[in-house]
Amino acid sequence: MKKNLLAIAVGAALASPMMMPGAALADGPKVYGKVNVSLENMNYDPAPASPNNDDEWELQSNASRLGVKGDFDLDVADLKAVYKAEFEISVDDGDKDGQTFSQRNIYGGFQGGFGTLIAGKFDTPTKKAQMDVDQFNDLDGDIKNIAAGENRVSNIIQYSTPKLADLVTLNVAFIPNEDSDDFDNDGENENGLADSTSISLTMEQDAFYAAVSRDTDIEDDLIVDGTGLPVSVLDITRLAAGLNMDVFEVGALYQIAEESEGDGEENSYVVSGAFKIDRVKLKAQYGMVDGDQTDNEGTQYAFGADYKLAKNSKVYAYFNELTYEDGTTGDEEEERTLGVGMEHKF
């Protein structure tokens, strides 16, 4: 079914505007995508149980995708219809959890002088509030290993203001649970209009960016301090800020995540930086998460280099080490990744 839907979407995007006289086109539709593939050596300590080995080579498809997006003018109140349908494709083996195409951000909505209203399945405002801090997004060095809140959720409705004073945007989203899960273990599933919420305030001015966000009762797991609740829902507060200059980039993120109905709580920290020399971008990132109840910890550091082949094409190499430490026993689990790859956007 998803194959057919994607084929229809791509076909519609390629169709001539002359074949659609009823739609006054603005900026779309546009077919776009990204192919990101890396060859990686993975090393595990302690070694996994037999017959698995303590290291392996893998060809990874890193959130490669194919999509269609656009907008068109409506006949009422200077409104535009906006839409997006994006699917993940697995370039390495064609299999994403048993599917050829896996749903990513998909929505429809309206845009006008009032702002933008969309509904569907897409990244929460808190996930987007990381802004450009994550230098290793979609790779093994992704901040999702250190910070909860990196969620793409279903049944989400979001309103975003126009940019206020050419500086600030407010994003407000709510998610009805649709009578699916019992958040507070009272024997009844949640069935309200806004069982979960995600709100962010973002600011962009020239090279500077910053964001603050708050999730309430969002379905997610703590990284190191979960207490094993039947349904894990979190309250998350995130702060992020950074600079994107022509020659260098710096970014920082701080986050508190706590169980809405339990005692688990953890703090996450991420700092990142990059330095550009002609076509080369050297980058590094460090992250840490520590649990309040368990004293468990996680640390991650990564460094790498990108070489720009063209505006939308690059090759890269990187190293990442991720360690989780048991706060009671002191035992550690380490995973090291050394990889080289390429990325083409179209």
Side-chain angles (χ1 to χ4, degrees):
M1 182 64 179
K2 286 187 177 180
K3 294 180 183 179
N4 294 335
L5 289 174
L6 185 61
I8 292 171
V10 172
L14 294 175
S16 167
M18 296 181 63
M19 298 174 64
M20 297 180 287
L25 296 181
D27 294 330
K30 175 185 177 182
V31 176
Y32 69 96
K34 180 175 78 170
V35 173
N36 187 317
V37 185
S38 57
L39 179 62
E40 300 178 349
N41 180 260
M42 313 285 294
N43 183 272
Y44 308 97
D45 184 17
S50 179
N52 295 319
N53 298 297
D54 62 356
D55 73 298
E56 61 178 328
W57 285 95
E58 294 184 359
L59 185 65
Q60 297 273 25
S61 179
N62 304 301
S64 300
R65 65 201 65 168
L66 180 64
V68 58
K69 62 182 178 181
D71 60 64
F72 55 88
D73 296 328
L74 301 176
D75 296 333
V76 178
D78 294 325
L79 288 177
K80 288 183 180 181
V82 294
Y83 58 89
K84 183 176 186 178
E86 181 178 288
F87 295 85
E88 182 170 347
I89 54 175
S90 296
V91 180
D92 51 348
D93 58 12
D95 182 6
K96 174 64 176 179
D97 300 326
Q99 302 179 67
T100 303
F101 300 106
S102 176
Q103 186 171 342
R104 286 178 53 86
N105 293 309
I106 297 185
Y107 60 77
F110 299 98
Q111 187 176 75
F114 67 93
T116 303
L117 179 67
I118 56 175
K121 176 177 181 176
F122 47 86
D123 296 342
T124 64
T126 285
K127 180 177 181 180
K128 299 290 285 184
Q130 66 163 273
M131 306 292 278
D132 294 327
V133 171
D134 193 356
Q135 291 282 348
F136 295 88
N137 187 44
D138 293 333
L139 300 176
D140 276 2
D142 196 298
I143 68 169
K144 67 183 180 182
N145 299 320
I146 293 297
E150 295 295 286
N151 295 306
R152 178 178 300 121
V153 300
S154 302
N155 309 312
I156 180 172
I157 301 97
Q158 176 177 311
Y159 166 69
S160 299
T161 66
K163 186 174 284 190
L164 306 175
D166 283 331
L167 185 66
V168 174
T169 303
L170 174 66
N171 307 286
V172 180
F174 63 92
I175 306 107
N177 183 55
E178 298 188 341
D179 203 29
S180 297
D181 297 293
D182 180 5
F183 289 178
D184 52 10
N185 302 305
D186 65 353
E188 293 186 0
N189 290 339
E190 314 307 318
N191 63 346
L193 177 63
D195 296 311
S196 306
T197 62
S198 183
I199 301 172
S200 73
L201 191 67
T202 63
M203 180 173 64
E204 295 180 89
Q205 179 66 44
D206 299 326
F208 176 75
Y209 63 86
V212 57
S213 70
R214 173 72 173 175
D215 282 359
T216 57
D217 290 332
I218 200 83
E219 290 196 64
D220 197 5
D221 296 311
L222 293 178
I223 305 296
V224 297
D225 208 46
T227 59
L229 294 172
V231 178
S232 178
V233 288
L234 305 181
D235 297 333
I236 302 172
T237 302
R238 174 175 288 188
L239 302 170
L243 285 170
N244 276 344
M245 307 293 288
D246 291 338
V247 177
F248 70 90
E249 301 171 7
V250 293
L253 181 148
Y254 171 68
Q255 176 175 289
I256 301 174
E258 53 189 348
E259 292 175 336
S260 307
E261 302 295 333
D263 296 325
E265 181 180 330
E266 61 189 28
N267 296 277
S268 298
Y269 314 82
V270 178
V271 292
S272 65
F275 186 73
K276 303 171 189 176
I277 310 169
D278 195 22
R279 292 179 177 268
V280 177
K281 178 180 178 180
L282 304 174
K283 56 187 183 179
Q285 186 163 292
Y286 174 81
M288 184 181 76
V289 56
D290 62 87
D292 178 67
Q293 295 295 309
T294 62
D295 290 328
N296 293 343
E297 290 186 357
T299 57
Q300 178 173 257
Y301 67 87
F303 55 87
D306 300 343
Y307 184 81
K308 194 171 185 179
L309 301 172
K311 179 181 179 181
N312 295 319
S313 185
K314 69 179 181 181
V315 292
Y316 60 86
Y318 82 103
F319 173 82
N320 181 69
E321 180 169 301
L322 175 64
T323 303
Y324 293 120
E325 180 181 345
D326 188 301
T328 302
T329 66
D331 293 341
E332 294 185 349
E333 295 182 4
E334 294 183 355
E335 180 180 306
R336 302 180 189 89
T337 304
L338 180 63
V340 294
M342 61 180 178
E343 178 183 271
H344 305 310
K345 297 179 181 179
F346 55 91

